[in-house]
Amino acid sequence: MKRILTFGVYDMLHIGHMLLFKHAKELFPEEECELIVAVQDGDYILKYKPGTKMVYSTEERLYMVSTIRYVDEVVTYKDVDVDIQNIPFDVFAKGPDQKHAGFQRAVEWCKANGKEVVIIPRTEGISSSMLREYSKIK
């Protein structure tokens, strides 16, 4: 069984997130796959981005993501490049926009440790930033 891992905040869930989970889960149609979604800890977000207005608490985001049919397991993370080393998985599925230094280090760790990295394309026309702008949440 392949274990696929993806990371995100998931504060404003939208169709793009659902399609990310669906596409990640379907990466290997000939094999049984398990999708693990790592949700970033809200206190950690606020520590490094003070003033960020979160819509949902960490616990609420964990619950919402856990109810999605493509998701088999949900965990909390703080630093993607640190926490990726402590979660058993085979494939790291990430979005093309996840490029900051932590994600770059996570990709390098995957390459050095025999983990496959797959880029899941974005869903055009939707993003959490767009939803925040639309709803005037800054």
Side-chain angles (χ1 to χ4, degrees), residues 40-47 54 58 61 76:
Q40 194 164 34
D41 180 86
D43 291 337
Y44 193 78
I45 294 167
L46 295 174
K47 179 178 177 182
M54 301 294 292
T58 302
R61 290 181 290 119
T76 305

mmCIF file of all heavy atoms in Angstrom, residues 40-47 54 58 61 76:
data_model
loop_
_atom_site.group_PDB
_atom_site.id
_atom_site.type_symbol
_atom_site.label_atom_id
_atom_site.label_comp_id
_atom_site.label_asym_id
_atom_site.label_seq_id
_atom_site.Cartn_x
_atom_site.Cartn_y
_atom_site.Cartn_z
ATOM 1 N N GLN A 40 -1.574 22.457 9.307
ATOM 2 C CA GLN A 40 -0.655 23.262 10.114
ATOM 3 C C GLN A 40 -1.325 23.781 11.386
ATOM 4 O O GLN A 40 -2.460 24.255 11.366
ATOM 5 C CB GLN A 40 -0.076 24.426 9.322
ATOM 6 C CG GLN A 40 1.104 25.050 10.038
ATOM 7 C CD GLN A 40 1.946 25.944 9.149
ATOM 8 O OE1 GLN A 40 1.433 26.604 8.273
ATOM 9 N NE2 GLN A 40 3.244 25.959 9.409
ATOM 10 N N ASP A 41 -0.595 23.682 12.480
ATOM 11 C CA ASP A 41 -1.044 24.137 13.787
ATOM 12 C C ASP A 41 -1.277 25.651 13.771
ATOM 13 O O ASP A 41 -0.400 26.411 13.370
ATOM 14 C CB ASP A 41 0.027 23.771 14.820
ATOM 15 C CG ASP A 41 -0.346 24.201 16.212
ATOM 16 O OD1 ASP A 41 -1.039 23.450 16.906
ATOM 17 O OD2 ASP A 41 0.059 25.323 16.602
ATOM 18 N N GLY A 42 -2.455 26.076 14.192
ATOM 19 C CA GLY A 42 -2.822 27.489 14.179
ATOM 20 C C GLY A 42 -1.950 28.359 15.059
ATOM 21 O O GLY A 42 -1.594 29.472 14.684
ATOM 22 N N ASP A 43 -1.567 27.866 16.244
ATOM 23 C CA ASP A 43 -0.694 28.640 17.125
ATOM 24 C C ASP A 43 0.663 28.868 16.478
ATOM 25 O O ASP A 43 1.266 29.928 16.626
ATOM 26 C CB ASP A 43 -0.513 27.936 18.475
ATOM 27 C CG ASP A 43 -1.790 27.946 19.304
ATOM 28 O OD1 ASP A 43 -2.647 28.831 19.066
ATOM 29 O OD2 ASP A 43 -1.931 27.071 20.176
ATOM 30 N N TYR A 44 1.127 27.884 15.754
ATOM 31 C CA TYR A 44 2.411 28.009 15.067
ATOM 32 C C TYR A 44 2.316 29.047 13.939
ATOM 33 O O TYR A 44 3.237 29.843 13.749
ATOM 34 C CB TYR A 44 2.832 26.646 14.511
ATOM 35 C CG TYR A 44 4.262 26.625 14.069
ATOM 36 C CD1 TYR A 44 5.297 26.517 14.998
ATOM 37 C CD2 TYR A 44 4.594 26.731 12.733
ATOM 38 C CE1 TYR A 44 6.615 26.511 14.599
ATOM 39 C CE2 TYR A 44 5.911 26.726 12.325
ATOM 40 C CZ TYR A 44 6.917 26.615 13.258
ATOM 41 O OH TYR A 44 8.220 26.618 12.858
ATOM 42 N N ILE A 45 1.209 29.046 13.215
ATOM 43 C CA ILE A 45 0.999 30.044 12.154
ATOM 44 C C ILE A 45 1.054 31.446 12.752
ATOM 45 O O ILE A 45 1.739 32.328 12.238
ATOM 46 C CB ILE A 45 -0.351 29.811 11.440
ATOM 47 C CG1 ILE A 45 -0.336 28.490 10.686
ATOM 48 C CG2 ILE A 45 -0.675 30.974 10.492
ATOM 49 C CD1 ILE A 45 -1.708 28.023 10.212
ATOM 50 N N LEU A 46 0.332 31.648 13.849
ATOM 51 C CA LEU A 46 0.278 32.969 14.480
ATOM 52 C C LEU A 46 1.627 33.396 15.062
ATOM 53 O O LEU A 46 1.932 34.583 15.108
ATOM 54 C CB LEU A 46 -0.801 32.994 15.553
ATOM 55 C CG LEU A 46 -2.230 32.825 15.027
ATOM 56 C CD1 LEU A 46 -3.218 32.717 16.183
ATOM 57 C CD2 LEU A 46 -2.605 33.950 14.086
ATOM 58 N N LYS A 47 2.426 32.425 15.478
ATOM 59 C CA LYS A 47 3.748 32.731 16.018
ATOM 60 C C LYS A 47 4.632 33.368 14.939
ATOM 61 O O LYS A 47 5.380 34.298 15.214
ATOM 62 C CB LYS A 47 4.402 31.447 16.540
ATOM 63 C CG LYS A 47 5.791 31.633 17.103
ATOM 64 C CD LYS A 47 6.320 30.312 17.639
ATOM 65 C CE LYS A 47 7.748 30.475 18.136
ATOM 66 N NZ LYS A 47 8.289 29.212 18.621
ATOM 67 N N MET A 54 -7.270 33.722 11.425
ATOM 68 C CA MET A 54 -7.706 32.372 11.092
ATOM 69 C C MET A 54 -9.218 32.305 11.260
ATOM 70 O O MET A 54 -9.761 32.854 12.222
ATOM 71 C CB MET A 54 -7.028 31.348 12.005
ATOM 72 C CG MET A 54 -5.504 31.360 11.935
ATOM 73 S SD MET A 54 -4.862 30.847 10.347
ATOM 74 C CE MET A 54 -5.318 29.125 10.336
ATOM 75 N N THR A 58 -7.366 25.054 14.950
ATOM 76 C CA THR A 58 -6.677 23.845 14.477
ATOM 77 C C THR A 58 -7.608 22.643 14.587
ATOM 78 O O THR A 58 -7.721 21.855 13.642
ATOM 79 C CB THR A 58 -5.392 23.602 15.301
ATOM 80 O OG1 THR A 58 -4.556 24.753 15.193
ATOM 81 C CG2 THR A 58 -4.653 22.368 14.821
ATOM 82 N N ARG A 61 -10.263 22.648 11.870
ATOM 83 C CA ARG A 61 -9.700 22.310 10.562
ATOM 84 C C ARG A 61 -9.379 20.823 10.476
ATOM 85 O O ARG A 61 -9.624 20.177 9.455
ATOM 86 C CB ARG A 61 -8.470 23.171 10.270
ATOM 87 C CG ARG A 61 -8.862 24.622 10.016
ATOM 88 C CD ARG A 61 -7.700 25.537 9.706
ATOM 89 N NE ARG A 61 -6.863 25.750 10.879
ATOM 90 C CZ ARG A 61 -5.579 25.421 10.988
ATOM 91 N NH1 ARG A 61 -4.940 24.903 9.972
ATOM 92 N NH2 ARG A 61 -4.918 25.659 12.095
ATOM 93 N N THR A 76 -1.361 16.888 12.661
ATOM 94 C CA THR A 76 -0.999 18.303 12.790
ATOM 95 C C THR A 76 0.497 18.438 12.550
ATOM 96 O O THR A 76 1.265 17.552 12.908
ATOM 97 C CB THR A 76 -1.317 18.800 14.213
ATOM 98 O OG1 THR A 76 -2.678 18.533 14.500
ATOM 99 C CG2 THR A 76 -1.081 20.292 14.338
#
